[in-house]
Amino acid sequence: MEMRTGGVKRGVADKAVLAALFLALALWGGLPLRRHRHHDIPIVKGPGVTRVFRLSEYSPGLKGTTADTFVFELRGREPGGKALLIANTHSNEPEGMLSAIIFLENAVVEKGTLYIIPVFNNSGSRATRPGDGYPLYFDIATDWGARRFRFGNRDASPLDQWPDPDVYIHYPDRQLLSYIDVRNTNRTWPGRADGPLMERVTFGAMELMRREGIDVAIDIHGAETMFPVTNCIVAPESSVRIATMVAMTVKAMEGFENHVEPSPAGFRGLSHREIGDHGPSLPFLLEAPIPFLDQPTGPKTVEFLLDGKDPFLLSLSAKGKLFVPYDESGWPIEKRVGQHMSVCLEIFRQFSRKSADRPIAVSGVPRYADVAENGVGRYLADPSKAAPGDIVMN
C-alpha cells in the first residue's frame, strides 16, 4: 500500500514538473510576441501635416479595436486635387510603410490635399509568422542612430478577427475566396460598415474617399521576384492611361523599369479593382520586388529583408526563373523605397497634367536616385528631437 501511495505521489510530482516546464516554455515563447504586439512605432509629424485622426471617424465599427489606425492629412497651401496613399496593407512588405513615413516626415503639399495611412492593416502589423522564421523587428540606419520598426504579417491577427469561415464570400459580388482572405485587407474591398473587422477597415478607407472626393488612391506593396505581377503599376481601365505615362516617364527620366499590369475585372476584393468600381478615385497599386517573400531562399534574416541578396535566387535568375533582373546587388530596400517615391510623385504629376483644375503638387521628398544614393535613413526624422506633440505612436 505504501509503495502504491509513493508511486502516485511521484506521478503527481512528475506531472507538476512537466506542467511547470510547459508554462515556462509558453512564457518564454509568448513574451516576445506580446512585446511585439504592443510595440508602437513613433512617427514624427513633418512640416506638411495639418491633422491626424483615426480611420474610425469614417468607420465607427473600428473604434476601440486594434484594427483602428491613424490617418494623416497634409492640406496644401493652395487648393487642388486630393490623393490618398495607403501603405502596409500587407505588413510583411515594409517598403510601402517606409515610403509613407518619408512622405509624412518630409513632404509639403503645395497644391491640393494628401491623406496618408502608413499602417493600413494595424492588426497584421502586430502579428508575425514565427513558423516561417520571420523577424519581429528591423532597424534602419540613420545619421543619428538606428530607427526600429515592427515587421508584421500579411493577414490580420486571429487575436483580433476569429474564427475564419470555411470559405470567404466576398461582398457584394459573392465571389468565393479562400478562408484566409477574410483577414487580408487586399481582398476585403469595398468592405461593409458591419462586416468582419477587415471589411470595416476597407469600408473606412472607401468612406474617406467618397466623403472627401479623393481623386487618386495609391496602394503601395511589394511582391516576390518569382511572381509575375511585380515591379509594376496595377491599374484598371480608368487609371491605365496615367499609369502608362508614369511607367514610360520613370523609365526614360530615372532609369528604372516599372511596367503596367491590367487590373482583372473577374478577381474581386482587390484595391485596384474595387476602389474604382465603388468610389470616385482613380486607383493604382504599386509593386516593388521583395526577394524576402520568395520561398526558395536562405534564412529569413533582417539582413536579407533589407539588402535582398540571396544565393538561391541568384541561381534561379541565371536559369531565367525570375520576373525581374537579379544579380549580386540584390534588391535593396533603398531601391524599392526609391521606386515607390518616384512613382507616387509621377502619378501626382501626370494626374495634374490631365486635370489642370485639380493639381496635386508635393515638394520636399526624395526621388529614386536620392534614396538609392543616400539610403532610407537619411530621410527619417529623429523622434528624440521632436516635440512630444509632434510624435504619433502608431
Side-chain angles (χ1 to χ4, degrees), residues 82-86 114-115 189 205-206 209 214-220 233-236 239 271-272 275-276 280-286 344 347-348 351 360:
K82 296 182 178 181
L84 170 65
L85 292 184
I86 297 171
L114 177 60
Y115 295 90
W189 295 89
M206 286 300 311
M209 287 182 261
I214 301 295
D215 298 290
V216 171
I218 304 175
D219 188 10
I220 311 176
I233 309 168
V234 186
S239 308
S271 63
H272 51 75
I275 286 174
S281 311
L282 296 174
F284 303 86
L285 185 143
L286 312 187
C344 287
I347 288 173
F348 299 155
F351 171 81
I360 302 169

Coordinates of all heavy atoms in Angstrom, one line a residue, residues 82-86 114-115 189 205-206 209 214-220 233-236 239 271-272 275-276 280-286 344 347-348 351 360:
K82 N -7.1 65.9 -54.7 CA -6.9 65.1 -53.4 C -6.4 63.7 -53.7 O -6.9 63.1 -54.7 CB -8.2 65.1 -52.6 CG -8.7 66.4 -52.1 CD -10.0 66.3 -51.3 CE -10.5 67.6 -50.8 NZ -11.7 67.5 -50.0
A83 N -5.4 63.3 -52.9 CA -4.8 62.0 -53.1 C -4.8 61.2 -51.8 O -4.7 61.9 -50.7 CB -3.4 62.1 -53.7
L84 N -4.8 59.9 -51.9 CA -4.7 59.1 -50.7 C -3.6 58.0 -50.9 O -3.6 57.4 -52.0 CB -6.0 58.3 -50.4 CG -6.0 57.2 -49.4 CD1 -5.7 57.8 -48.0 CD2 -7.3 56.4 -49.4
L85 N -2.6 58.0 -50.0 CA -1.6 56.9 -50.0 C -1.9 55.9 -48.9 O -2.1 56.3 -47.8 CB -0.2 57.5 -49.7 CG 0.4 58.4 -50.8 CD1 1.9 58.8 -50.3 CD2 0.5 57.8 -52.1
I86 N -1.9 54.6 -49.3 CA -2.2 53.5 -48.4 C -1.0 52.7 -48.3 O -0.5 52.2 -49.4 CB -3.4 52.7 -48.8 CG1 -4.7 53.6 -48.8 CG2 -3.6 51.5 -47.9 CD1 -5.9 52.9 -49.4
L114 N -3.2 65.8 -49.4 CA -2.7 64.4 -49.4 C -3.1 63.8 -48.1 O -2.9 64.3 -47.0 CB -1.2 64.4 -49.6 CG -0.5 63.1 -49.5 CD1 -1.0 62.2 -50.6 CD2 1.0 63.3 -49.7
Y115 N -3.8 62.6 -48.2 CA -4.1 61.8 -47.0 C -3.1 60.6 -47.0 O -2.9 60.0 -48.1 CB -5.5 61.4 -47.0 CG -6.5 62.5 -46.9 CD1 -7.0 63.1 -48.0 CD2 -7.0 62.9 -45.6 CE1 -8.0 64.1 -47.9 CE2 -7.9 63.9 -45.5 CZ -8.4 64.5 -46.6 OH -9.3 65.5 -46.5
W189 N -12.0 44.6 -50.0 CA -12.6 45.8 -50.6 C -13.9 45.5 -51.3 O -14.0 44.4 -51.8 CB -11.6 46.5 -51.6 CG -10.4 47.0 -51.0 CD1 -9.2 46.3 -50.8 CD2 -10.1 48.4 -50.6 NE1 -8.2 47.2 -50.3 CE2 -8.8 48.4 -50.1 CE3 -10.9 49.5 -50.5 CZ2 -8.2 49.6 -49.7 CZ3 -10.3 50.7 -50.0 CH2 -9.0 50.7 -49.6
A205 N -11.7 53.2 -45.4 CA -11.0 53.9 -46.5 C -11.9 54.3 -47.6 O -11.7 55.4 -48.2 CB -9.9 53.0 -47.0
M206 N -12.8 53.5 -48.0 CA -13.8 53.8 -49.1 C -14.6 55.0 -48.7 O -14.9 55.9 -49.5 CB -14.7 52.6 -49.4 CG -14.1 51.5 -50.2 SD -13.4 51.9 -51.8 CE -14.7 52.8 -52.5
M209 N -12.6 58.1 -49.1 CA -12.5 58.5 -50.5 C -13.8 59.1 -51.0 O -13.8 60.1 -51.7 CB -12.1 57.3 -51.3 CG -10.7 56.9 -51.1 SD -10.2 55.6 -52.2 CE -10.3 54.2 -51.0
I214 N -11.8 62.0 -53.0 CA -10.4 61.7 -53.4 C -10.3 61.4 -54.9 O -11.0 60.6 -55.4 CB -9.9 60.5 -52.5 CG1 -10.0 60.8 -51.0 CG2 -8.5 60.1 -53.0 CD1 -9.1 61.9 -50.5
D215 N -9.3 62.1 -55.5 CA -9.1 61.9 -56.9 C -8.2 60.7 -57.3 O -8.5 59.9 -58.2 CB -8.5 63.1 -57.5 CG -9.4 64.4 -57.4 OD1 -10.4 64.4 -58.1 OD2 -9.0 65.2 -56.6
V216 N -7.2 60.5 -56.5 CA -6.2 59.5 -56.8 C -5.9 58.7 -55.5 O -5.7 59.2 -54.4 CB -4.8 60.1 -57.2 CG1 -3.7 59.1 -57.3 CG2 -5.0 60.8 -58.5
A217 N -6.0 57.3 -55.6 CA -5.7 56.4 -54.5 C -4.6 55.5 -54.9 O -4.7 54.8 -55.9 CB -6.9 55.7 -54.1
I218 N -3.5 55.5 -54.0 CA -2.3 54.6 -54.3 C -2.1 53.7 -53.2 O -2.0 54.1 -52.0 CB -1.1 55.5 -54.5 CG1 -1.3 56.5 -55.6 CG2 0.1 54.6 -54.9 CD1 -0.1 57.5 -55.8
D219 N -2.1 52.4 -53.5 CA -1.9 51.3 -52.5 C -0.5 50.7 -52.8 O -0.3 50.2 -53.9 CB -3.0 50.2 -52.7 CG -3.0 49.2 -51.7 OD1 -2.3 49.3 -50.6 OD2 -3.7 48.2 -51.8
I220 N 0.4 50.8 -51.8 CA 1.8 50.5 -52.0 C 2.2 49.1 -51.4 O 1.9 48.9 -50.3 CB 2.7 51.6 -51.4 CG1 2.3 53.0 -51.8 CG2 4.2 51.4 -51.8 CD1 3.0 54.1 -51.1
I233 N 3.0 48.7 -61.9 CA 1.8 49.5 -61.5 C 0.6 48.7 -62.0 O 0.4 48.5 -63.2 CB 1.8 50.9 -62.1 CG1 3.1 51.6 -61.9 CG2 0.6 51.7 -61.6 CD1 3.3 52.9 -62.7
V234 N -0.3 48.3 -61.1 CA -1.5 47.7 -61.5 C -2.6 48.7 -61.5 O -2.8 49.5 -60.6 CB -1.9 46.6 -60.5 CG1 -3.1 45.8 -61.0 CG2 -0.7 45.6 -60.2
A235 N -3.3 48.7 -62.6 CA -4.3 49.8 -62.8 C -5.5 49.2 -63.6 O -5.4 48.5 -64.6 CB -3.7 51.0 -63.6
P236 N -6.7 49.7 -63.3 CA -7.9 49.3 -64.1 C -8.0 50.2 -65.3 O -7.2 51.1 -65.5 CB -9.1 49.5 -63.1 CG -8.6 50.7 -62.2 CD -7.1 50.5 -62.1
S239 N -7.7 54.1 -64.9 CA -6.3 54.6 -64.5 C -5.2 54.3 -65.4 O -4.1 54.7 -65.3 CB -6.0 54.1 -63.1 OG -7.0 54.3 -62.2
S271 N -7.8 46.2 -54.1 CA -8.0 47.7 -54.1 C -8.0 48.3 -55.5 O -8.8 49.2 -55.8 CB -6.8 48.3 -53.2 OG -5.6 48.0 -53.8
H272 N -7.1 47.8 -56.3 CA -7.0 48.4 -57.7 C -8.3 48.1 -58.5 O -8.4 48.7 -59.6 CB -5.8 47.9 -58.4 CG -5.6 46.4 -58.4 ND1 -6.2 45.6 -59.2 CD2 -4.7 45.7 -57.7 CE1 -5.8 44.3 -59.0 NE2 -4.9 44.3 -58.1
I275 N -11.8 50.0 -55.6 CA -11.8 51.4 -55.3 C -12.4 52.2 -56.5 O -13.3 53.1 -56.3 CB -10.4 51.9 -55.1 CG1 -9.9 51.5 -53.7 CG2 -10.3 53.4 -55.2 CD1 -8.4 51.8 -53.4
G276 N -12.0 51.8 -57.7 CA -12.6 52.5 -58.9 C -14.0 52.1 -59.2 O -14.8 52.9 -59.6
P280 N -15.1 57.4 -56.2 CA -14.7 58.4 -57.2 C -13.3 58.4 -57.6 O -12.9 59.2 -58.4 CB -15.1 59.7 -56.4 CG -14.7 59.4 -55.0 CD -15.1 57.9 -54.8
S281 N -12.4 57.6 -56.9 CA -11.0 57.7 -57.1 C -10.4 56.9 -58.2 O -11.0 55.8 -58.6 CB -10.3 57.3 -55.8 OG -10.9 57.9 -54.7
L282 N -9.3 57.4 -58.8 CA -8.5 56.6 -59.7 C -7.6 55.7 -58.9 O -6.7 56.3 -58.2 CB -7.8 57.5 -60.7 CG -8.6 58.4 -61.6 CD1 -7.7 59.4 -62.4 CD2 -9.5 57.6 -62.6
P283 N -7.7 54.4 -59.0 CA -6.8 53.5 -58.2 C -5.5 53.1 -58.9 O -5.5 52.9 -60.1 CB -7.7 52.3 -57.9 CG -8.6 52.2 -59.0 CD -8.7 53.6 -59.6
F284 N -4.5 53.0 -58.1 CA -3.2 52.4 -58.6 C -2.6 51.6 -57.5 O -2.7 51.9 -56.3 CB -2.2 53.6 -58.9 CG -2.7 54.6 -59.8 CD1 -3.4 55.7 -59.4 CD2 -2.3 54.5 -61.2 CE1 -3.8 56.6 -60.3 CE2 -2.8 55.4 -62.1 CZ -3.5 56.5 -61.7
L285 N -2.1 50.4 -57.8 CA -1.4 49.6 -56.9 C 0.0 49.4 -57.3 O 0.3 49.0 -58.5 CB -2.1 48.2 -56.7 CG -1.5 47.3 -55.6 CD1 -2.6 46.5 -54.9 CD2 -0.5 46.3 -56.2
L286 N 1.0 49.7 -56.4 CA 2.4 49.7 -56.8 C 3.0 48.4 -56.2 O 2.8 48.1 -55.0 CB 3.1 50.9 -56.3 CG 2.5 52.3 -56.5 CD1 3.4 53.4 -56.1 CD2 2.1 52.4 -58.0
C344 N 5.0 57.5 -57.1 CA 3.9 58.2 -56.4 C 3.9 59.7 -56.9 O 2.9 60.3 -57.3 CB 4.0 58.2 -54.9 SG 3.6 56.7 -54.1
I347 N 2.8 59.9 -60.5 CA 1.3 59.8 -60.6 C 0.6 61.1 -60.3 O -0.3 61.6 -61.1 CB 0.8 58.7 -59.7 CG1 1.2 57.3 -60.2 CG2 -0.7 58.8 -59.5 CD1 0.8 56.2 -59.2
F348 N 1.1 61.8 -59.3 CA 0.5 63.1 -59.0 C 0.8 64.1 -60.2 O -0.2 64.9 -60.5 CB 1.2 63.7 -57.7 CG 1.0 62.9 -56.5 CD1 1.9 63.0 -55.4 CD2 -0.1 62.1 -56.3 CE1 1.8 62.3 -54.3 CE2 -0.2 61.3 -55.2 CZ 0.7 61.4 -54.1
F351 N -1.5 63.1 -63.2 CA -2.8 63.4 -62.9 C -3.1 64.9 -63.1 O -4.1 65.4 -63.6 CB -3.3 63.0 -61.5 CG -4.6 63.5 -61.1 CD1 -5.8 62.9 -61.5 CD2 -4.7 64.6 -60.3 CE1 -7.0 63.4 -61.2 CE2 -6.0 65.1 -60.0 CZ -7.2 64.5 -60.4
I360 N -2.2 68.4 -58.0 CA -1.6 67.8 -56.8 C -0.1 68.0 -56.9 O 0.5 67.3 -57.7 CB -2.0 66.3 -56.6 CG1 -3.5 66.1 -56.5 CG2 -1.4 65.8 -55.3 CD1 -3.9 64.7 -56.6

